[in-house]
Amino acid sequence: MALQDRNKRGFRRLLRSFVYATNGLVYVIKREQNMQIHLAISIAVLFLGLLLELSTYQWLILLLVIGGIFSLEIMNTAIERTVDLITDEYHPYAKRAKDIAAAAVFVYSIFAIIIGLIIFIPPLLEKWFS
């Protein structure tokens, strides 16, 4: 009986963890301008991918890149909120932590653009010049 109760609590705890994660995602989408930009660009990229009938491998790469940028933006927001919670005063280390977290998103975004160009330029050129 104890094992069964523990499994029920574990399942409820698991369900709550999904609710908490969903709340975090909704928060970031509603309140973070950069996440809204990433989301809008991702929707456009996915739509373009459908129009160009990308290969399975191209879709896999695109989805990994999109998932990566969403994850990094969420982590960046978490770091910013944590730093804000720790101190209301300006501190160079707090600024540095926020800048470094933002840099991670920035670097990944640059590589995401490069990957997008590599994936999309050949089929676009084929459509335009054939």
Side-chain angles (χ1 to χ4, degrees):
M1 189 70 159
L3 180 61
Q4 196 174 23
D5 288 342
R6 193 169 70 199
N7 286 341
K8 284 182 183 177
R9 278 193 314 239
F11 184 69
R12 275 186 257 148
R13 188 171 52 211
L14 177 65
L15 287 178
R16 277 195 310 268
S17 72
F18 284 115
V19 170
Y20 298 148
T22 301
N23 289 342
L25 180 60
V26 169
Y27 173 87
V28 172
I29 291 170
K30 282 185 173 181
R31 299 215 169 113
E32 293 298 314
Q33 182 181 16
N34 287 342
M35 185 62 156
Q36 294 166 359
I37 292 167
H38 292 306
L39 184 60
I41 291 171
S42 295
I43 290 168
V45 163
L46 294 172
F47 183 70
L48 183 60
L50 287 171
L51 289 176
L52 294 175
E53 300 174 352
L54 297 179
S55 73
T56 301
Y57 293 112
Q58 290 169 319
W59 276 110
L60 290 173
I61 292 168
L62 279 180
L63 292 173
L64 282 170
V65 169
I66 290 169
I69 198 68
F70 285 0
S71 297
L72 271 175
E73 189 61 51
I74 290 165
M75 287 304 300
N76 179 46
T77 300
I79 290 168
E80 288 178 350
R81 294 303 165 271
T82 303
V83 169
D84 291 344
L85 177 67
I86 292 170
T87 181
D88 286 335
E89 299 172 18
Y90 174 82
H91 192 283
Y93 288 163
K95 179 188 181 324
R96 186 75 61 215
K98 287 178 159 187
D99 290 350
I100 291 168
V105 179
F106 181 64
V107 168
Y108 195 91
S109 296
I110 290 169
F111 280 93
I113 291 168
I114 293 167
I115 290 167
L117 292 173
I118 291 168
I119 289 173
F120 284 110
I121 286 177
L124 282 171
L125 289 175
E126 186 178 316
K127 282 210 181 265
W128 286 338
F129 295 112
S130 2

